[in-house]
Amino acid sequence: MSDALIETLLKAPYVAKFGVRFERKGDELTGVLPYEEHLVGNPLVPALHGGAVGAFMEIVASGALLASQTLVRLPKPIDVAVDYLRPARAADVYARAIIGRSGARVANVRVEAWQGRREAPVATLHGHFLIKPEPVDN
Amino acid sequence: MPESLQELLNRLAPLIVDGSPHAQALGLALDGLGPGRATMRAPYRKDLIGDPDTGVMHGGVVTALLDHACGVAAFSGLGAKETPATLDLRIDYMRPAEPGHDIIAEAECIRAHGLIAFVRATAHDGDESDPVATASAAFMVTRPSKEAAERVRKAIETGELT
């Protein structure tokens, strides 16, 4: 657990601006992106901006890595691949991450984002993050 | 004489940012727009910082900038009729952007046919040969995008929108 870094992550100006928050149960973490008009990408559809949803999933990936282990600094994205499955409507978005592998330097993470129905995700992310775990004393 | 694609793009250019609340919230700017090409800028802003220790803007700004620039290049590549939806967006983050520097994304639609467009983009903070990130994306004209374009056409016809 890296509670102090989770605070740092959520207090970063960009993250705070968009009101992202985490709901935690032990090492399980669900991200919440509360709906605001400034998240809309195309008001004609209307749909949330793909970049906003993608960025939110990156934040949730970092949050999940920090909730699962002790890291000494914030994870840094190396690469991400985002699939957009449905238009994200003008409503709150939720996301949860699955850590595929978390090694000494790099972590592989998948994130799923949904709105009304968990079974109908609006987007998924798959990415690699540079991490720095706390050194283990032997 | 019928309107050329470049003339149509010039007419639509003000809507590229003003028509998108999220692009406005991030302060994005359109630096260039041509057939199948778009250059967009994310000006450095303190309220978009991701790491308070370094002052580097959040990766989400790069993500949104690249998604928007790629979407505009796809829109233009498909003939500037309907706004296509992002199918997928893959980003490689090469290095952190310099604090204080604007980030510029150059997007090019390398193929557009029917309903699908493929786009490549590079984001840099001043030196194009030293990118901050690169992206590869696919876009598609979906049913909601066709319906939205139809609503705009009707609104223009009835004079609700000019």
Side-chain angles (χ1 to χ4, degrees), chain B residues 31-59:
Chain B
D31 279 8
L33 179 62
R37 304 187 71 92
T39 305
M40 297 204 65
R41 172 188 300 266
Y44 182 79
R45 274 175 37 174
K46 286 202 161 73
D47 64 333
L48 301 179
I49 286 173
D51 187 341
D53 291 341
T54 60
V56 171
M57 280 208 281
H58 196 275

mmCIF file of all heavy atoms in Angstrom, chain B residues 31-59:
data_model
loop_
_atom_site.group_PDB
_atom_site.id
_atom_site.type_symbol
_atom_site.label_atom_id
_atom_site.label_comp_id
_atom_site.label_asym_id
_atom_site.label_seq_id
_atom_site.Cartn_x
_atom_site.Cartn_y
_atom_site.Cartn_z
ATOM 1 N N ASP B 31 -3.411 24.550 -34.674
ATOM 2 C CA ASP B 31 -2.328 25.293 -35.329
ATOM 3 C C ASP B 31 -2.354 25.123 -36.844
ATOM 4 O O ASP B 31 -1.816 25.955 -37.575
ATOM 5 C CB ASP B 31 -0.957 24.826 -34.814
ATOM 6 C CG ASP B 31 -0.602 25.471 -33.473
ATOM 7 O OD1 ASP B 31 -1.470 26.136 -32.894
ATOM 8 O OD2 ASP B 31 0.543 25.285 -33.008
ATOM 9 N N GLY B 32 -2.932 24.029 -37.315
ATOM 10 C CA GLY B 32 -2.962 23.793 -38.760
ATOM 11 C C GLY B 32 -3.982 22.733 -39.108
ATOM 12 O O GLY B 32 -4.209 21.798 -38.328
ATOM 13 N N LEU B 33 -4.628 22.892 -40.267
ATOM 14 C CA LEU B 33 -5.645 21.930 -40.689
ATOM 15 C C LEU B 33 -5.631 21.838 -42.214
ATOM 16 O O LEU B 33 -5.767 22.852 -42.904
ATOM 17 C CB LEU B 33 -7.026 22.399 -40.194
ATOM 18 C CG LEU B 33 -8.240 21.554 -40.540
ATOM 19 C CD1 LEU B 33 -8.134 20.160 -39.926
ATOM 20 C CD2 LEU B 33 -9.518 22.235 -40.022
ATOM 21 N N GLY B 34 -5.407 20.627 -42.718
ATOM 22 C CA GLY B 34 -5.402 20.417 -44.163
ATOM 23 C C GLY B 34 -6.047 19.087 -44.474
ATOM 24 O O GLY B 34 -6.469 18.380 -43.552
ATOM 25 N N PRO B 35 -6.135 18.728 -45.762
ATOM 26 C CA PRO B 35 -6.730 17.449 -46.107
ATOM 27 C C PRO B 35 -5.968 16.293 -45.434
ATOM 28 O O PRO B 35 -4.788 16.079 -45.709
ATOM 29 C CB PRO B 35 -6.599 17.385 -47.635
ATOM 30 C CG PRO B 35 -6.497 18.816 -48.061
ATOM 31 C CD PRO B 35 -5.752 19.511 -46.950
ATOM 32 N N GLY B 36 -6.612 15.591 -44.501
ATOM 33 C CA GLY B 36 -6.001 14.453 -43.813
ATOM 34 C C GLY B 36 -4.895 14.827 -42.835
ATOM 35 O O GLY B 36 -4.136 13.954 -42.400
ATOM 36 N N ARG B 37 -4.806 16.102 -42.464
ATOM 37 C CA ARG B 37 -3.731 16.535 -41.557
ATOM 38 C C ARG B 37 -4.255 17.512 -40.512
ATOM 39 O O ARG B 37 -5.121 18.330 -40.828
ATOM 40 C CB ARG B 37 -2.620 17.254 -42.321
ATOM 41 C CG ARG B 37 -2.002 16.498 -43.454
ATOM 42 C CD ARG B 37 -0.812 17.284 -43.980
ATOM 43 N NE ARG B 37 0.269 17.250 -43.009
ATOM 44 C CZ ARG B 37 1.226 16.326 -43.021
ATOM 45 N NH1 ARG B 37 1.231 15.399 -43.950
ATOM 46 N NH2 ARG B 37 2.173 16.338 -42.125
ATOM 47 N N ALA B 38 -3.706 17.412 -39.318
ATOM 48 C CA ALA B 38 -4.065 18.381 -38.287
ATOM 49 C C ALA B 38 -2.882 18.589 -37.360
ATOM 50 O O ALA B 38 -2.173 17.644 -37.022
ATOM 51 C CB ALA B 38 -5.262 17.891 -37.483
ATOM 52 N N THR B 39 -2.648 19.832 -36.973
ATOM 53 C CA THR B 39 -1.637 20.159 -35.965
ATOM 54 C C THR B 39 -2.352 20.855 -34.819
ATOM 55 O O THR B 39 -3.058 21.839 -35.039
ATOM 56 C CB THR B 39 -0.548 21.088 -36.554
ATOM 57 O OG1 THR B 39 -0.007 20.456 -37.718
ATOM 58 C CG2 THR B 39 0.569 21.330 -35.554
ATOM 59 N N MET B 40 -2.188 20.290 -33.620
ATOM 60 C CA MET B 40 -2.840 20.881 -32.458
ATOM 61 C C MET B 40 -1.837 21.082 -31.343
ATOM 62 O O MET B 40 -0.838 20.379 -31.264
ATOM 63 C CB MET B 40 -4.004 19.999 -31.994
ATOM 64 C CG MET B 40 -5.076 19.900 -33.066
ATOM 65 S SD MET B 40 -6.683 19.500 -32.400
ATOM 66 C CE MET B 40 -7.030 20.929 -31.413
ATOM 67 N N ARG B 41 -2.151 22.051 -30.473
ATOM 68 C CA ARG B 41 -1.227 22.442 -29.417
ATOM 69 C C ARG B 41 -1.935 22.404 -28.066
ATOM 70 O O ARG B 41 -3.085 22.825 -27.947
ATOM 71 C CB ARG B 41 -0.754 23.869 -29.718
ATOM 72 C CG ARG B 41 0.076 24.550 -28.650
ATOM 73 C CD ARG B 41 0.289 26.014 -29.032
ATOM 74 N NE ARG B 41 0.977 26.134 -30.304
ATOM 75 C CZ ARG B 41 2.311 26.261 -30.408
ATOM 76 N NH1 ARG B 41 3.055 26.323 -29.330
ATOM 77 N NH2 ARG B 41 2.867 26.342 -31.582
ATOM 78 N N ALA B 42 -1.217 21.890 -27.040
ATOM 79 C CA ALA B 42 -1.692 21.975 -25.660
ATOM 80 C C ALA B 42 -0.762 22.947 -24.946
ATOM 81 O O ALA B 42 0.375 22.591 -24.616
ATOM 82 C CB ALA B 42 -1.670 20.616 -24.984
ATOM 83 N N PRO B 43 -1.188 24.206 -24.736
ATOM 84 C CA PRO B 43 -0.325 25.174 -24.061
ATOM 85 C C PRO B 43 -0.032 24.716 -22.636
ATOM 86 O O PRO B 43 -0.903 24.132 -21.979
ATOM 87 C CB PRO B 43 -1.145 26.462 -24.065
ATOM 88 C CG PRO B 43 -2.210 26.260 -25.100
ATOM 89 C CD PRO B 43 -2.482 24.790 -25.099
ATOM 90 N N TYR B 44 1.208 24.968 -22.173
ATOM 91 C CA TYR B 44 1.575 24.576 -20.811
ATOM 92 C C TYR B 44 0.704 25.322 -19.824
ATOM 93 O O TYR B 44 0.543 26.541 -19.905
ATOM 94 C CB TYR B 44 3.052 24.880 -20.536
ATOM 95 C CG TYR B 44 3.470 24.432 -19.150
ATOM 96 C CD1 TYR B 44 3.743 23.089 -18.907
ATOM 97 C CD2 TYR B 44 3.546 25.329 -18.092
ATOM 98 C CE1 TYR B 44 4.091 22.663 -17.640
ATOM 99 C CE2 TYR B 44 3.901 24.909 -16.821
ATOM 100 C CZ TYR B 44 4.176 23.570 -16.601
ATOM 101 O OH TYR B 44 4.514 23.140 -15.342
ATOM 102 N N ARG B 45 0.104 24.577 -18.901
ATOM 103 C CA ARG B 45 -0.755 25.193 -17.885
ATOM 104 C C ARG B 45 -0.531 24.519 -16.548
ATOM 105 O O ARG B 45 -0.502 23.297 -16.466
ATOM 106 C CB ARG B 45 -2.231 25.057 -18.302
ATOM 107 C CG ARG B 45 -2.668 26.184 -19.204
ATOM 108 C CD ARG B 45 -4.060 26.040 -19.743
ATOM 109 N NE ARG B 45 -5.026 25.472 -18.838
ATOM 110 C CZ ARG B 45 -6.325 25.385 -19.147
ATOM 111 N NH1 ARG B 45 -6.764 25.850 -20.300
ATOM 112 N NH2 ARG B 45 -7.155 24.835 -18.304
ATOM 113 N N LYS B 46 -0.427 25.352 -15.491
ATOM 114 C CA LYS B 46 -0.152 24.820 -14.148
ATOM 115 C C LYS B 46 -1.300 23.948 -13.639
ATOM 116 O O LYS B 46 -1.082 23.014 -12.873
ATOM 117 C CB LYS B 46 0.108 25.974 -13.183
ATOM 118 C CG LYS B 46 1.480 26.617 -13.404
ATOM 119 C CD LYS B 46 1.926 27.362 -12.135
ATOM 120 C CE LYS B 46 3.422 27.601 -12.125
ATOM 121 N NZ LYS B 46 3.854 28.626 -13.071
ATOM 122 N N ASP B 47 -2.543 24.253 -14.080
ATOM 123 C CA ASP B 47 -3.675 23.456 -13.589
ATOM 124 C C ASP B 47 -3.763 22.095 -14.283
ATOM 125 O O ASP B 47 -4.669 21.313 -13.998
ATOM 126 C CB ASP B 47 -4.995 24.229 -13.725
ATOM 127 C CG ASP B 47 -5.361 24.520 -15.171
ATOM 128 O OD1 ASP B 47 -4.443 24.609 -16.008
ATOM 129 O OD2 ASP B 47 -6.559 24.652 -15.465
ATOM 130 N N LEU B 48 -2.831 21.802 -15.189
ATOM 131 C CA LEU B 48 -2.827 20.503 -15.865
ATOM 132 C C LEU B 48 -1.615 19.668 -15.460
ATOM 133 O O LEU B 48 -1.336 18.633 -16.074
ATOM 134 C CB LEU B 48 -2.861 20.693 -17.389
ATOM 135 C CG LEU B 48 -4.078 21.468 -17.936
ATOM 136 C CD1 LEU B 48 -3.981 21.620 -19.446
ATOM 137 C CD2 LEU B 48 -5.393 20.768 -17.565
ATOM 138 N N ILE B 49 -0.914 20.106 -14.410
ATOM 139 C CA ILE B 49 0.273 19.374 -13.940
ATOM 140 C C ILE B 49 -0.138 18.014 -13.380
ATOM 141 O O ILE B 49 -1.163 17.888 -12.709
ATOM 142 C CB ILE B 49 1.032 20.221 -12.885
ATOM 143 C CG1 ILE B 49 1.766 21.379 -13.582
ATOM 144 C CG2 ILE B 49 2.024 19.365 -12.086
ATOM 145 C CD1 ILE B 49 2.395 22.377 -12.624
ATOM 146 N N GLY B 50 0.663 16.999 -13.689
ATOM 147 C CA GLY B 50 0.392 15.649 -13.199
ATOM 148 C C GLY B 50 1.311 15.267 -12.057
ATOM 149 O O GLY B 50 0.948 14.477 -11.195
ATOM 150 N N ASP B 51 2.528 15.808 -12.075
ATOM 151 C CA ASP B 51 3.504 15.495 -11.030
ATOM 152 C C ASP B 51 3.967 16.811 -10.407
ATOM 153 O O ASP B 51 4.787 17.529 -10.988
ATOM 154 C CB ASP B 51 4.691 14.731 -11.646
ATOM 155 C CG ASP B 51 5.660 14.239 -10.578
ATOM 156 O OD1 ASP B 51 5.632 14.766 -9.440
ATOM 157 O OD2 ASP B 51 6.452 13.322 -10.885
ATOM 158 N N PRO B 52 3.423 17.148 -9.213
ATOM 159 C CA PRO B 52 3.749 18.453 -8.603
ATOM 160 C C PRO B 52 5.242 18.628 -8.318
ATOM 161 O O PRO B 52 5.727 19.761 -8.290
ATOM 162 C CB PRO B 52 2.946 18.440 -7.295
ATOM 163 C CG PRO B 52 1.887 17.394 -7.492
ATOM 164 C CD PRO B 52 2.486 16.369 -8.412
ATOM 165 N N ASP B 53 5.989 17.528 -8.130
ATOM 166 C CA ASP B 53 7.426 17.639 -7.846
ATOM 167 C C ASP B 53 8.212 18.155 -9.043
ATOM 168 O O ASP B 53 9.171 18.905 -8.888
ATOM 169 C CB ASP B 53 7.996 16.282 -7.418
ATOM 170 C CG ASP B 53 7.467 15.863 -6.055
ATOM 171 O OD1 ASP B 53 6.986 16.748 -5.316
ATOM 172 O OD2 ASP B 53 7.513 14.660 -5.755
ATOM 173 N N THR B 54 7.826 17.718 -10.241
ATOM 174 C CA THR B 54 8.580 18.092 -11.443
ATOM 175 C C THR B 54 7.901 19.192 -12.240
ATOM 176 O O THR B 54 8.548 19.841 -13.067
ATOM 177 C CB THR B 54 8.757 16.871 -12.362
ATOM 178 O OG1 THR B 54 7.449 16.402 -12.743
ATOM 179 C CG2 THR B 54 9.507 15.749 -11.677
ATOM 180 N N GLY B 55 6.584 19.383 -12.044
ATOM 181 C CA GLY B 55 5.853 20.378 -12.830
ATOM 182 C C GLY B 55 5.510 19.896 -14.230
ATOM 183 O O GLY B 55 5.078 20.683 -15.080
ATOM 184 N N VAL B 56 5.700 18.600 -14.486
ATOM 185 C CA VAL B 56 5.394 18.045 -15.809
ATOM 186 C C VAL B 56 3.873 17.914 -15.951
ATOM 187 O O VAL B 56 3.190 17.491 -15.017
ATOM 188 C CB VAL B 56 6.075 16.660 -15.984
ATOM 189 C CG1 VAL B 56 5.603 15.959 -17.254
ATOM 190 C CG2 VAL B 56 7.583 16.811 -16.012
ATOM 191 N N MET B 57 3.345 18.285 -17.130
ATOM 192 C CA MET B 57 1.905 18.145 -17.365
ATOM 193 C C MET B 57 1.523 16.661 -17.326
ATOM 194 O O MET B 57 2.307 15.779 -17.664
ATOM 195 C CB MET B 57 1.511 18.746 -18.720
ATOM 196 C CG MET B 57 1.371 20.255 -18.658
ATOM 197 S SD MET B 57 0.197 20.908 -19.877
ATOM 198 C CE MET B 57 1.184 20.880 -21.364
ATOM 199 N N HIS B 58 0.280 16.400 -16.931
ATOM 200 C CA HIS B 58 -0.212 15.028 -16.800
ATOM 201 C C HIS B 58 -0.247 14.327 -18.158
ATOM 202 O O HIS B 58 -0.552 14.955 -19.179
ATOM 203 C CB HIS B 58 -1.620 15.046 -16.207
ATOM 204 C CG HIS B 58 -2.052 13.715 -15.691
ATOM 205 N ND1 HIS B 58 -2.622 12.771 -16.507
ATOM 206 C CD2 HIS B 58 -1.961 13.154 -14.471
ATOM 207 C CE1 HIS B 58 -2.892 11.683 -15.783
ATOM 208 N NE2 HIS B 58 -2.493 11.904 -14.544
ATOM 209 N N GLY B 59 0.067 13.020 -18.143
ATOM 210 C CA GLY B 59 0.007 12.212 -19.359
ATOM 211 C C GLY B 59 -1.362 12.285 -20.025
ATOM 212 O O GLY B 59 -1.473 12.156 -21.247
#
